[in-house]
Amino acid sequence: MTETPRLPGLTLADADRLVASALEVAAERGFPPLAVAVLDVGGSVISLRRADGAMPMTSRIAVAKARTALLTLRPSGKLELPGAIVDSIQHLHGGDYVPFAGGILITADGVVLGAAGASGGHAKEDEEAVQAAADRWLVSGNPG
């Protein structure tokens, strides 16, 4: 029997560690309850968790912020465009384009492995949580 191929990049174990770490960072820093998502390079969800007390809508927003990072190949809050263009991009991507901080690329050696997004705090807190998790993950030697 032939083994099913998988996309290059993050494994389920990687994604689970990134999500848990981001939720840990948020709790350590006193941020509001967050939802955190980690996606593969194709934009599909690998892992998604919502902390107790986080609003239900934060899950979908976390995924959209991560997809925005993948679409733009930069953090979700780093592409400033006029409203009409943002509206068009949101329409093209079924609402999965959120141009606010909180979505980042997960990279190693200049290669995109996936993306992470968070929602529930202020946008800068969302991004701080996922960026700290990604930094911890890189330092631990888990990439690729």
Side-chain angles (χ1 to χ4, degrees):
M1 180 143 102
T2 306
E3 189 174 317
T4 303
R6 74 173 194 88
L7 289 171
L10 301 170
T11 65
L12 175 59
D14 293 327
D16 285 343
R17 276 192 295 272
L18 285 159
V19 168
S21 182
L23 291 172
E24 205 173 88
V25 167
E28 288 168 1
R29 298 181 186 179
F31 297 166
L34 303 181
V36 179
V38 173
L39 312 182
D40 65 20
V41 293
S44 294
V45 175
I46 301 171
S47 186
L48 170 64
R49 289 180 60 200
R50 189 178 77 229
D52 292 339
M55 291 182 283
M57 70 179 173
T58 59
S59 296
R60 179 147 184 206
I61 296 168
V63 171
K65 286 181 177 183
R67 285 192 179 130
T68 300
L70 286 170
L71 288 169
T72 62
L73 295 176
R74 60 187 53 170
S76 59
K78 298 290 186 196
L79 190 64
E80 295 182 22
L81 296 169
I85 293 174
V86 168
D87 291 346
S88 295
I89 295 169
Q90 286 173 328
H91 176 74
L92 286 171
H93 292 282
D96 276 343
Y97 178 80
V98 177
F100 297 104
I104 63 164
L105 295 172
I106 305 297
T107 63
D109 299 322
V111 176
V112 176
L113 304 175
S119 179
H122 293 287
K124 290 184 188 275
E125 293 170 333
D126 296 343
E127 187 160 321
E128 186 177 327
V130 290
Q131 188 61 61
D135 293 344
R136 289 177 181 182
W137 180 76
L138 280 170
V139 168
S140 71
N142 288 307

